[in-house]
Coordinates of all heavy atoms in Angstrom, one line a residue:
D113 N -11.8 7.3 6.2 CA -12.6 7.3 7.5 C -14.1 7.1 7.2 O -14.9 8.0 7.6 CB -12.3 8.6 8.2 CG -10.9 8.6 8.7 OD1 -10.0 8.9 7.9 OD2 -10.6 8.3 9.9
H115 N -16.0 4.7 8.5 CA -16.6 4.5 9.9 C -18.0 3.8 9.8 O -18.9 4.1 10.5 CB -16.7 5.7 10.7 CG -15.4 6.2 11.2 ND1 -14.8 5.8 12.4 CD2 -14.5 7.1 10.7 CE1 -13.6 6.4 12.6 NE2 -13.4 7.1 11.6
D157 N -9.6 3.5 8.8 CA -10.9 3.6 9.5 C -12.1 3.4 8.6 O -13.0 4.1 8.5 CB -11.0 5.0 10.1 CG -10.2 5.2 11.4 OD1 -9.4 4.3 11.7 OD2 -10.2 6.3 12.0
H204 N -9.0 2.5 13.8 CA -10.3 1.9 14.2 C -10.4 0.5 13.6 O -11.4 -0.2 13.9 CB -11.5 2.7 13.7 CG -11.7 3.9 14.6 ND1 -12.9 4.0 15.3 CD2 -11.0 5.0 14.9 CE1 -12.9 5.1 16.0 NE2 -11.7 5.8 15.8
H249 N -2.6 6.5 7.3 CA -3.9 6.9 7.9 C -3.7 8.2 8.7 O -4.6 9.1 8.7 CB -4.3 5.7 8.9 CG -5.6 6.1 9.6 ND1 -6.8 6.4 8.9 CD2 -5.8 6.3 10.9 CE1 -7.7 6.7 9.8 NE2 -7.2 6.7 11.0
H312 N -7.8 10.2 9.2 CA -7.7 10.3 10.6 C -8.4 11.5 11.3 O -9.1 11.4 12.3 CB -6.3 10.1 11.1 CG -6.2 9.9 12.6 ND1 -6.9 8.8 13.2 CD2 -5.6 10.5 13.6 CE1 -6.6 8.8 14.5 NE2 -5.8 9.9 14.8
H314 N -10.4 13.7 9.9 CA -11.7 14.0 9.4 C -11.8 15.4 8.8 O -12.9 16.0 8.9 CB -12.8 13.7 10.4 CG -12.9 12.3 10.9 ND1 -14.0 11.7 11.4 CD2 -11.9 11.3 10.8 CE1 -13.7 10.5 11.7 NE2 -12.5 10.2 11.3
Ligands
FE2_1 FE1 -11.4 8.1 11.7

Side-chain angles (χ1 to χ4, degrees):
D113 295 80
H115 287 272
D157 285 4
H204 280 248
H249 178 62
H312 192 57
H314 299 202

